[in-house]
């Protein structure tokens, strides 16, 4: 659905800020816009091997200089909020000013591509120190859970709320946006646990299977495992991009049964056939190629597992040759992902794995944050009507942000994403509201549906080996 078409509920009027936004963009001289965009896009071209390394370094320096100069001029922009006027949504908006307040963005980043690339290349990293737990899954595979080793004097109590984080495709605990979220969660009194899917962020791969947009069994086991580890803690979840799609699918499947009390989805692609088609347009082909290269990098380390299974009479018929040379995400999904999870075709996989299908079944509070100019999770893929129809959902649509960018945060363009403050406020508010009489009854009913006392570890799920320490780059 390409437009909200909402007549009732919590909807902030977009007209004023959108008109200002469009007017400023139109007023910028064409030659200046082109020059600025080319400079800012140069680093990605260098990373993709499109230009020599020496040229790429010079282009990166030029892009930084241009961004620093243009940062002197700021645009003021305001999110657009949509959802039903429920008691929960109204309370959340009153307790979370970041969701509705204007934010300021450097004028030079007022473009989805530029903001996406700038954040990927120039965002500072807090270099979080992690404790890693490798968790065995019932099918023989495993995932890696990273929890911050808090600095001295900043350790959290054992019963602090726990936030399970699901990074995007090929992403993990070392990514800048994930590290910032971990730090902001701790500063809000919430313990973050990063769920690194099979093969990502160095998570071991022991079977011929990775993950998919609709494979929720690993998340189900991780949620149960974390709940077993912290039985007295509230559980929250947040996901970005593909991680948001997986999380939303899980919430739709579990409905009231999930022990998660509230969740946030960011940059969710929602409609995978539409998102796939979007990858094949213009500059988006660079993102597609770059992400496919990241998938290739992970796959090549474990190629022998898939090749061995494909050669087994009863094994899954992986197409190892296509996987090794995949130039697009679609090629890789056709060779590996859809085969691993039994889809007859890649189109069937995309159509059946879209999290837009799960929105009507979500039964816990879900905050959805999307950027209007996201080049990878396009606005046209957002299921506006389904979100509006579900009283548990609240949509915040920012006029800028790109994909995993949101450089309009209070720490400046190279600091933490704007979403960090919004997410920290949201879970702090959720923690407060779940203790109030108006919402406590629902929370108590949810707890009553869970087993009493410390839950048992799921069958086939256990910690593999000893926990290890590592510092994110």
């Amino acid at each position: 659905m390409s437009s909200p078409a909402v007549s009732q509920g919590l909807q902030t009027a977009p007209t004023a800020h959108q008109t200002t936004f469009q007017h400023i963009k139109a007023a910028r001289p064409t030659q200046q816009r082109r020059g600025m965009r080319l400079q800012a896009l140069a680093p990605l071209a260098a990373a993709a091997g499109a230009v020599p390394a020496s040229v790429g370094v010079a282009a990166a320096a030029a892009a930084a200089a241009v961004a620093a100069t243009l940062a002197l001029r700021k645009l003021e922009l305001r999110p657009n909020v949509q959802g039903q006027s429920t008691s929960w949504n109204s309370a959340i908006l009153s307790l979370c000013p970041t969701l509705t307040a204007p934010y300021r963005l450097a004028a030079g980043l007022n473009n989805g591509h530029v903001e996406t690339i700038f954040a990927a290349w120039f965002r500072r990293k807090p270099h979080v120190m992690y404790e890693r737990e490798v968790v065995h899954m019932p099918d023989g595979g495993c995932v890696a859970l990273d929890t911050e080793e808090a600095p001295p004097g900043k350790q959290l109590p054992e019963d602090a709320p726990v936030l399970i984080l699901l990074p995007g495709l090929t992403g993990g605990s070392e990514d800048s946006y994930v590290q910032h979220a971990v730090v902001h969660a701790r500063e809000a009194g919430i313990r973050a646990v990063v769920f690194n899917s099979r093969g990502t962020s160095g998570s071991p791969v022991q079977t011929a299977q990775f993950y998919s947009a609709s494979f929720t069994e690993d998340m189900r086991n991780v949620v149960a495992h974390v709940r077993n580890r912290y039985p007295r803690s509230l559980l929250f979840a947040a996901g970005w991009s593909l991680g948001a799609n997986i999380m939303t699918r899980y919430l739709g499947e579990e409905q009231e049964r999930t022990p998660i009390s509230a969740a946030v989805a960011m940059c969710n692609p929602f409609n995978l056939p539409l998102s796939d088609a979007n990858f094949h347009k213009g500059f988006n082909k660079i993102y597609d190629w770059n992400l496919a290269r990241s998938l290739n990098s992970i796959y090549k380390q474990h190629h022998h597992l898939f090749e061995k299974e494909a050669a087994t009479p009863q094994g899954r018929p992986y197409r190892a040759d296509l996987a090794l040379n995949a130039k697009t995400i679609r090629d890789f999904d056709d060779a590996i992902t859809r085969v691993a999870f039994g889809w007859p075709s890649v189109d069937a996989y995309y159509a059946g794995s879209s999290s837009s299908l799960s929105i009507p079944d979500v039964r816990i509070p879900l905050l959805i944050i999307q950027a209007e100019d996201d080049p990878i999770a396009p606005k046209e893929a957002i299921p506006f009507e389904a979100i509006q129809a579900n009283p548990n959902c609240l949509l915040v649509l920012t006029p800028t942000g790109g994909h995993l960018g949101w450089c309009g945060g209070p720490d400046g363009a190279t600091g933490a994403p704007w979403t960090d403050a919004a997410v920290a406020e949201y879970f702090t508010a959720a923690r407060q509201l779940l203790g109030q009489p108006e919402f406590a009854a629902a929370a108590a009913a949810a707890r009553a549906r869970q087993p009493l006392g410390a839950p048992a570890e799921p069958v086939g799920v256990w910690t593999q080996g000893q926990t290890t320490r590592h510092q994110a780059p």
Side-chain angles (χ1 to χ4, degrees), residues 180-192:
H180 280 292
V182 169
V183 172
H184 273 75
R186 187 242 304 151
E187 292 174 345
I190 300 171
R191 178 180 289 105

Side-chain angles (χ1 to χ4, degrees), residues 44 47-48 116 120 167-172 175 177 200 210-211 240-243 267 269 275-276 278-280 283-300 323-333 337 350 374-377 403-404:
L44 183 57
T116 298
L169 178 69
T170 76
D175 289 335
Y177 66 92
T200 63
F210 291 126
Y211 50 92
W240 297 267
S241 197
L242 186 75
C267 298
S275 296
D276 171 56
N278 187 63
F279 266 126
H280 306 147
F283 190 81
N284 291 349
K285 295 176 183 178
I286 297 293
Y287 302 125
D288 193 16
W289 186 88
N290 204 45
L291 287 167
R293 188 176 65 165
S294 296
L295 288 168
N296 277 335
S297 178
I298 294 173
Y299 174 77
K300 287 175 182 176
L324 285 172
N325 299 290
K327 296 295 188 295
T328 65
I329 298 172
R330 182 183 179 90
D331 285 347
F332 185 87
D333 284 340
T337 312
Y350 290 154
D374 192 324
I376 294 175
H403 192 73
L404 303 175

Side-chain angles (χ1 to χ4, degrees), residues 213-214 216 245-253 352-355 358:
S214 56
T216 58
N245 194 89
I246 294 170
M247 183 194 73
T248 305
R249 294 280 304 193
Y250 161 83
L251 294 177
E253 291 170 4
S353 299
S354 298
S355 61
S358 304

Side-chain angles (χ1 to χ4, degrees), residues 120-406:
W121 273 80
F122 300 111
R123 175 164 284 148
R124 299 188 303 271
K125 293 183 178 181
H127 305 297
V128 172
M129 179 65 74
Y130 287 113
E131 291 185 352
R132 168 160 292 191
E133 177 188 15
V134 176
V135 182
H136 183 277
M137 295 287 109
D139 67 351
C142 57
V143 301
L145 304 183
D146 284 340
T147 306
E148 183 188 22
E149 184 179 273
K154 297 184 179 181
Q155 290 84 359
L156 298 173
E158 189 68 15
D159 62 350
V162 176
L163 171 60
I164 300 173
L165 297 174
L166 290 82
L169 178 69
T170 76
S173 55
E174 76 281 0
D175 289 335
S176 62
Y177 66 92
V178 177
Q179 291 190 53
H180 280 292
V182 169
V183 172
H184 273 75
R186 187 242 304 151
E187 292 174 345
I190 300 171
R191 178 180 289 105
V193 177
V194 184
F195 168 20
N196 298 293
S197 292
R198 308 181 190 209
T200 63
S201 194
S203 180
V205 175
Q206 299 179 162
T207 65
Q209 179 178 303
F210 291 126
Y211 50 92
S212 85
S214 56
F215 178 64
T216 58
E217 201 58 30
D218 281 355
M219 180 172 182
R220 191 168 288 104
N221 287 318
V222 165
V223 169
H225 177 78
V226 171
R227 183 169 182 266
N228 181 67
R229 172 67 179 83
Y230 302 100
R232 295 187 296 130
S233 298
L234 276 175
L235 289 190
F236 299 132
W240 297 267
S241 197
L242 186 75
N245 194 89
I246 294 170
M247 183 194 73
T248 305
R249 294 280 304 193
Y250 161 83
L251 294 177
E253 291 170 4
E254 290 297 298
Q255 299 185 14
E256 297 91 347
R257 297 182 298 275
T258 179
I260 293 173
S261 296
V264 178
M266 294 165 278
C267 298
N268 193 338
F270 279 118
N271 183 323
L272 299 189
L274 192 154
S275 296
D276 171 56
N278 187 63
F279 266 126
H280 306 147
K281 298 176 181 178
F283 190 81
N284 291 349
K285 295 176 183 178
I286 297 293
Y287 302 125
D288 193 16
W289 186 88
N290 204 45
L291 287 167
R293 188 176 65 165
S294 296
L295 288 168
N296 277 335
S297 178
I298 294 173
Y299 174 77
K300 287 175 182 176
Q301 301 173 52
H302 313 288
H303 168 66
H304 62 284
L305 295 173
F306 294 83
E307 191 175 43
K308 180 179 178 181
E309 171 141 345
T312 303
Q314 302 302 318
R316 287 167 286 192
Y318 292 118
R319 300 171 62 190
D321 55 336
L322 178 58
L324 285 172
N325 299 290
K327 296 295 188 295
T328 65
I329 298 172
R330 182 183 179 90
D331 285 347
F332 185 87
D333 284 340
D334 194 22
I336 300 296
T337 312
R338 66 99 184 164
V339 178
F341 298 99
W343 295 95
S345 69
V346 70
D347 288 322
Y349 162 54
Y350 290 154
S353 299
S354 298
S355 61
S356 57
L357 304 172
S358 304
I359 289 295
D361 298 321
V362 172
R363 294 292 181 268
I364 66 164
L366 175 62
L367 174 65
I368 301 164
I369 306 178
Q370 303 285 123
E372 288 188 33
D373 64 353
D374 192 324
I376 294 175
K379 178 183 176 182
E380 292 74 20
I382 301 173
F384 288 102
E385 292 182 8
I387 292 170
Q388 179 67 22
N390 189 331
N392 299 298
C393 295
L394 183 65
L395 171 65
V396 174
L397 188 62
T398 59
T400 63
H403 192 73
L404 303 175
W406 280 303

